[in-house]
Amino acid sequence: MPSEVPQHEEPALACETGGVDNDQGDNPVSLPIIPNNALQGIAKTKASKKSNKSLASRGPTALPKNRGNGFEEYFADPPMTPGEAEEEKTEIYASDLPFAERMQSCIQRFRSRRRLQSERILLFNEYLFLGGVDTSPAVFGGLGRQDLRDLTPAQRRDATATDIIYGNTSAGDRFYNGDETAWSVDFASVAAGFFSVTLVHLTSFEPARMALGIDVVDNFLRYVLQHDVCPEHETNVKEALDVCEYARTEWPMLRQLYASLPGQFNLAAGELFRPDDAATSWSFQEFTRPEGFDPKSVFYSAFALMDEPEMFARLCEQEPKVVKEFTCTLELVEVSRPSEDIVRRVNSLVIGDGAAKHIAVGKAIFKPGIIEDDWVTPEAPWPIAEEQMTLFFDDDILAHMSVGMKARLGIYELNVGLRFVKTVEIIVPTFYTYLPQELMRHYKPPQDTDRPAPSVHDPEAEEKQHAISARDG
């Protein structure tokens, strides 16, 4: 996990890879950067549309035009010559070079081996920023087109690079600076943070775009392993690849979970015991209230047919009513889906003249959990006496739950000891991670000002300054 900085002045983030956003194809002057180079930040020079540069002129690691964009399912990087392999091993990724320099070179060469276009550029840049890499556009540094023309492809990449891994105090407060007390190199945490928060915001939870973001990160991590960029972090890079697989599996499951809620059981419980709130508590996505839905038969038959004799007896002996309402954050520790026997009983249930068409109900066991975000939320006390909480759900909802996932739920408790879900605020996957770097996205360092502060002598000083600024534009 990323190390944390005690104050806001230093981002406590999992430092991960460096970032670049340059070459998207044939442009010979839009590639990466080097750390301490006076040529950093030179503006890109656009090549003529009619120019047809050879592979050699674009550098030894450039992607051949007939190789696609590098993200095809069965894409494989072209083999390197013995000289190129030796150069990577002894110069570019030499073990005696600092991690920041090796990773920066890796990103530069990855850019030249892939054609990052349109949305992939945005996704990759945001991923790199989350890892503490400065991906902001560089400011023109004074070299003209003729100056760039005289450079080799590798020198041109360094001169026109727009992304930096600083590795020193020049990073400021927003980016990785090599300080091991404030930053830690953690590929897995950065991948988890990107998939958990940033990717969801960038893609609006759209499946195809989510898959695209996961693919970009997966492709980059495999490139890091293939070229042996940082062998000291090899295990952690493989953990990050596992996070990619978790994201591919769990996000579609959560999408189905949201679509299946509230399910027949929790809807029936709400309509029975809090009918005034039930209609406003749920905003159905794909769940449809069954025609002729009878909440009483759904609720009581669920306990009559499942192996919960004590709860069923209490429901029959007492008049159930809501005695408590609370909201809490839970982490799933166990899922008990209904057995085949219970499913057969429910499927064969007949009420009146026809099949009941109810769904078998199982249970999920939760413990207290925490979902971090960019809000300062006081930690609420655990609302029940037991260490764990049992909630009941339809079987098709339980099928899309993974042990370790977390949720913030509104819950009702009945006087018979039964609890059911009133509302769902948020559900997050098992790998959910909120990184402090998210808070640094729009951070600007404080600056001295000569504006007078409001005082008893001039209480409207601030308003006057605003008026002057508005007048002067």
Side-chain angles (χ1 to χ4, degrees), residues 5-20:
V5 180
Q7 301 178 356
H8 282 303
E9 289 147 71
E10 286 209 58
L13 200 246
C15 164
E16 128 98 87
T17 65
V20 222

Side-chain angles (χ1 to χ4, degrees), residues 119-139:
E119 192 163 15
R120 281 196 177 97
I121 296 174
L122 171 64
L123 295 170
F124 192 49
N125 284 348
E126 291 297 322
Y127 162 71
L128 294 173
F129 168 80
L130 205 59
V133 181
D134 185 358
T135 62
S136 55
V139 179

Side-chain angles (χ1 to χ4, degrees), residues 42-362:
I42 305 304
K44 299 180 185 177
T45 306
K46 295 184 178 179
S48 170
K49 294 182 179 179
K50 296 182 180 180
S51 64
N52 186 14
K53 299 293 183 180
S54 66
L55 179 63
S57 69
R58 291 187 288 125
T61 62
L63 182 68
K65 293 182 178 180
N66 62 352
R67 300 293 293 190
N69 59 23
F71 291 93
E72 292 79 8
E73 183 177 1
Y74 297 107
F75 174 84
D77 282 302
M80 294 185 295
T81 65
E84 292 170 352
E86 182 65 19
E87 180 187 25
E88 282 198 353
K89 183 177 181 180
T90 60
E91 297 181 24
I92 300 172
Y93 305 135
S95 58
D96 58 341
L97 291 177
F99 167 80
E101 187 173 337
R102 281 178 284 144
M103 186 52 61
Q104 185 169 264
S105 299
C106 170
I107 296 170
Q108 296 172 1
R109 296 170 78 85
F110 175 77
R111 292 279 188 178
S112 67
R113 282 291 191 182
R114 303 291 184 269
R115 289 195 175 93
L116 295 172
Q117 297 175 344
S118 61
E119 192 163 15
R120 281 196 177 97
I121 296 174
L122 171 64
L123 295 170
F124 192 49
N125 284 348
E126 291 297 322
Y127 162 71
L128 294 173
F129 168 80
L130 205 59
V133 181
D134 185 358
T135 62
S136 55
V139 179
F140 182 71
L143 290 186
R145 180 174 299 183
Q146 183 60 46
D147 298 312
L148 295 173
R149 186 177 299 163
D150 296 336
L151 302 177
T152 66
Q155 291 172 332
R156 198 177 295 126
R157 285 197 299 271
D158 295 338
T160 59
T162 59
D163 307 284
I164 306 173
I165 304 180
Y166 294 97
N168 54 47
T169 55
S170 62
D173 293 331
R174 297 181 66 203
F175 304 108
Y176 173 73
N177 59 10
D179 183 355
E180 295 183 0
T181 62
W183 294 80
S184 62
V185 178
D186 194 338
F187 288 84
S189 290
V190 173
F194 178 71
F195 298 147
S196 301
V197 181
T198 308
L199 185 60
V200 177
H201 292 164
L202 291 174
T203 63
S204 300
F205 209 37
E206 185 180 328
R209 298 171 68 198
M210 291 279 288
L212 187 69
I214 297 170
D215 183 53
V216 168
V217 176
D218 183 280
N219 196 302
F220 175 72
L221 293 171
R222 293 186 186 280
Y223 186 90
V224 172
L225 283 181
Q226 178 185 354
H227 292 268
D228 201 24
V229 177
C230 47
E232 70 272 29
H233 299 296
E234 180 179 349
T235 301
N236 187 238
V237 175
K238 291 179 178 178
E239 291 173 354
L241 286 170
D242 290 338
V243 174
C244 294
E245 291 305 312
Y246 299 151
R248 287 192 179 99
T249 302
E250 292 187 34
W251 276 127
M253 289 178 63
L254 286 184
R255 192 174 290 107
Q256 289 296 321
L257 181 57
Y258 274 114
S260 302
L261 290 167
Q264 292 190 22
F265 175 81
N266 284 288
L267 180 61
E271 292 189 358
L272 274 179
F273 306 113
R274 273 300 176 90
D276 296 338
D277 293 346
T280 58
S281 294
W282 297 101
S283 178
F284 300 154
Q285 294 188 13
E286 296 180 18
F287 177 83
T288 302
R289 190 178 189 276
E291 186 176 350
F293 182 71
D294 182 2
K296 189 171 184 178
S297 69
V298 169
F299 181 81
Y300 284 97
S301 64
F303 288 100
L305 297 176
M306 78 167 92
D307 297 325
E308 292 286 338
E310 294 182 4
M311 179 61 70
F312 184 61
R314 289 199 298 269
L315 287 169
C316 295
E317 294 169 358
Q318 302 180 45
E319 181 182 351
K321 60 181 180 180
V322 174
V323 294
K324 191 175 183 180
E325 177 183 352
F326 54 87
T327 299
C328 60
T329 302
L330 305 169
E331 180 178 340
L332 183 63
V333 295
E334 183 181 342
V335 175
S336 297
R337 298 182 62 183
S339 64
E340 293 182 4
D341 182 50
I342 294 176
V343 173
R344 280 196 299 269
R345 295 181 209 168
V346 174
N347 291 339
S348 61
L349 180 64
V350 175
I351 298 177
D353 298 330
K357 296 183 180 180
H358 293 174
I359 298 176
V361 174

Side-chain angles (χ1 to χ4, degrees), residues 449 451-454 459-473:
T449 178
R451 293 181 178 181
E460 298 181 357
E462 188 172 4
E463 286 74 10
K464 292 177 181 178
Q465 290 295 332
H466 290 317
I468 293 173
S469 299
R471 182 194 64 197
D472 297 341

